[in-house]
């Protein structure tokens, strides 16, 4: 077996675990917290809860709450400027992938300087970041456990993948109660992202026994809890989805992803689309594209998602892909590119694929692919 590594933060998991945020931030040496979040979480009342726990531990708070979905480079720069003025000594991010990725970008700039675009790609961060504690409020992005940050370069209209061991926070507090206030659309969008993380990292060329174990767990839990979590909001199912997302994140953070995420980053940067929804469109086609290069794993993935069927052989894979489309449609997710993009976007596909081919996620896709193959995937998904 080749040498592998597996890195994750300290994890607190379970309903009510958010109450420990103050003690955990203090244990990281923090006295002044730099709180990163978004207006939706403030409105839902969650930030008041977090502020209360921080105050109880004797911590003061400086807040940066202007984070938008698909976080922009300019927001990261504004946040870093505020952090430098604030005298903060620990970063706490509360939210989905956007506040957490913004917090990582701020951490990079305050300890490494320069422009965030300088850190695009793998292993470009040289100096350690300030202590970071993340509290995910969706079950999908996995940014609270991962080495990835995805930031939109506004001028180039693309999403940059920043990958570094330094981007793993010190502590992740995963409290499924946060999901109680998430709407169905957000639950569906984020849990399909988690599924894509499990699938793409499972077939990644960098997968190892450590990551494969987590990916299998994620697929099994996703199958058990997706519908009951998204439609009924059952606390046990939401907890299962949080666990699925965490397992998928442990897998992708260490094994990376593939063509689906490379394309989703290109589309998200150009059209400002919700990230998770892109995978309902791309994942079935991505599975078909890679099936010839990872036949056993493709059959295993489909078997974990549809345990009543067997999926050996190309015809059975096609049947599994049809079932996957059906399942995404039942969850209410659009499954064709043409349903979410204007007709004129079709002309931009070749250019988008040229951008996607440079994404770091391309490096670990099991089947080698260039811009031409990515274009075929997009046309098939249209
Ligand atoms: Fe993702």
């Amino acid at each position: 077996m080749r040498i592998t590594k597996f890195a994750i933060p300290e994890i607190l998991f379970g309903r009510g675990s958010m109450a420990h945020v103050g003690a955990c931030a203090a244990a990281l040496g923090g006295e002044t917290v730099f709180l990163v979040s978004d207006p939706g979480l403030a409105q839902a009342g969650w930030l008041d809860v977090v502020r209360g726990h921080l105050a109880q531990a004797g911590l003061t708070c400086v807040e940066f709450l202007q984070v938008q979905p698909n976080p922009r480079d300019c927001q990261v720069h504004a946040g870093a400027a505020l952090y430098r003025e604030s005298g903060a000594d620990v970063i706490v991010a509360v939210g989905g992938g956007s506040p957490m990725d913004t917090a990582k970008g701020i951490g990079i700039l305050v300890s490494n300087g320069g422009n965030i675009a300088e850190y695009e790609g793998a292993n470009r961060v040289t100096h350690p970041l300030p202590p970071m504690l993340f509290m995910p409020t969706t079950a999908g992005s996995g940014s609270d456990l991962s080495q990835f940050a995805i930031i939109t370069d506004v001028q180039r209209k693309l999403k940059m993948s920043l990958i570094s061991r330094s981007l793993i926070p010190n502590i992740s507090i995963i409290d499924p109660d946060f999901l109680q206030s998430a709407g169905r659309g957000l639950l569906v969008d984020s849990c399909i992202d988690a599924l894509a993380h499990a699938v793409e990292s499972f077939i990644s060329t960098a997968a190892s026994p450590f990551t494969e174990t987590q990916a299998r767990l994620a697929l099994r839990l996703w199958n058990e809890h997706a519908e009951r979590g998204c439609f009924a909001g059952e606390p046990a199912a939401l907890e299962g989805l949080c666990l699925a997302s965490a397992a998928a994140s442990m897998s992708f953070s260490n094994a990376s992803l593939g063509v689906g995420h490379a394309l989703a980053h290109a589309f998200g940067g150009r059209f400002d689309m919700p990230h998770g929804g892109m995978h309902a469109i791309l994942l079935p086609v991505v599975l078909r594209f890679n099936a010839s290069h990872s036949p056993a794993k493709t059959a295993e993935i489909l078997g974990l998602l549809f345990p009543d069927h067997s999926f050996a052989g190309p015809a059975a894979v096609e049947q599994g892909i049809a079932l996957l489309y059906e399942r995404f449609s039942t969850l209410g997710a659009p499954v064709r590119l043409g349903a979410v993009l204007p007709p004129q976007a079709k002309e931009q596909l070749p250019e988008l694929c040229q951008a996607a081919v440079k994404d770091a996620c391309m490096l670990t896709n099991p089947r080698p692919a260039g811009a031409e193959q990515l274009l075929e995937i997009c046309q098939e998904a249209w």
Side-chain angles (χ1 to χ4, degrees):
M1 195 175 95
R2 68 175 190 272
I3 294 170
T4 60
K5 66 172 184 174
F6 188 77
I8 56 170
E10 179 181 338
I11 300 169
L12 262 75
F13 184 95
R15 298 184 63 194
S17 58
M18 69 175 83
H20 296 274
V21 60
C24 287
L28 292 172
E31 291 178 1
T32 303
V33 168
F34 192 76
L35 181 65
V36 182
S37 191
D38 64 39
L41 284 155
Q43 212 166 25
W46 288 118
L47 296 190
D48 288 335
V49 176
V50 172
R51 285 182 193 115
H53 292 311
L54 292 172
Q56 228 169 17
L59 301 171
T60 53
C61 218
V62 179
E63 302 186 353
F64 182 71
L65 310 180
Q66 288 89 47
V67 178
Q68 292 171 278
N70 295 326
R72 281 93 167 132
D73 47 5
C74 48
Q75 291 173 331
V76 171
H77 285 265
L82 181 63
Y83 183 97
R84 286 191 193 102
E85 289 167 14
S86 69
D89 46 19
V90 59
I91 298 177
V92 172
V94 182
S98 301
M100 293 190 282
D101 285 352
T102 302
K104 289 180 180 184
I106 292 168
I108 291 174
L109 292 185
V110 299
S111 53
N112 290 265
N115 186 299
I116 196 65
E118 293 167 33
Y119 303 95
E120 183 180 6
N123 303 319
R124 309 285 293 273
V125 180
T126 50
H127 297 291
L129 275 55
M132 299 193 294
L133 186 161
F134 288 180
M135 305 171 83
T137 59
T138 64
S141 81
S143 182
D144 55 302
L145 303 180
S146 85
Q147 314 186 42
F148 284 62
I150 310 297
I151 308 285
T152 298
D153 183 321
V154 173
Q155 215 166 23
R156 287 189 290 158
K157 284 191 176 176
L158 58 81
K159 283 187 170 190
M160 302 179 283
S161 295
L162 288 63
I163 309 167
S164 165
R165 168 73 182 79
S166 308
L167 300 187
I168 301 176
N170 301 71
I171 301 177
S172 167
I173 298 181
I174 306 173
D175 191 330
D177 280 349
F178 277 122
L179 268 63
Q180 300 283 356
S181 62
R184 185 185 295 177
L186 182 58
L187 288 172
V188 169
D189 195 71
S190 52
C191 86
I192 292 176
D193 190 23
L195 177 64
H197 294 158
V199 168
E200 288 209 284
S201 62
F202 189 56
I203 58 175
S204 157
T205 56
S208 76
F210 297 99
T211 63
E212 287 164 349
T213 305
Q214 296 300 333
R216 286 189 185 98
L217 174 64
L219 289 161
R220 186 171 61 71
L221 288 166
W222 196 92
N223 176 53
E224 281 172 29
H225 298 293
E227 283 79 7
R228 282 190 301 120
C230 293
F231 289 137
E234 288 176 27
L238 294 178
E239 194 169 329
L241 284 180
C242 285
L243 206 48
S245 169
S249 178
M250 287 187 238
S251 178
F252 93 78
S253 175
N254 291 282
S256 195
L257 296 156
V259 293
H261 268 78
L263 283 169
H265 294 155
F267 279 102
R270 175 67 59 97
F271 299 111
D272 201 16
M273 299 163 71
H275 172 73
M278 282 302 298
H279 294 297
I281 295 164
L282 293 169
L283 191 58
V285 187
V286 167
L287 261 181
R288 182 183 290 129
F289 177 76
N290 285 310
S292 58
H293 283 62
S294 46
K297 281 189 166 179
T298 302
E300 190 177 352
I301 289 164
L302 292 170
L304 285 162
L305 292 176
F306 305 102
D308 298 336
H309 298 71
S310 147
F311 295 101
V317 168
E318 277 309 311
Q319 190 202 355
I321 287 166
L323 289 168
L324 197 55
Y325 272 127
E326 208 177 292
R327 202 154 176 190
F328 289 154
S329 297
T330 308
L331 282 169
V335 293
R336 311 304 317 181
L337 266 182
V340 295
L341 290 178
Q344 60 269 31
K346 208 168 184 182
E347 294 156 24
Q348 297 179 37
L349 291 179
E351 189 196 332
L352 275 167
C353 292
Q354 290 292 348
V357 89
K358 295 180 194 136
D359 191 285
C361 294
M362 290 296 292
L363 300 172
T364 46
N365 195 71
R367 179 173 165 188
E372 208 177 304
Q373 286 74 33
L374 293 188
L375 186 58
E376 281 167 24
I377 290 173
C378 293
Q379 282 161 344
E380 206 175 312
W382 190 271

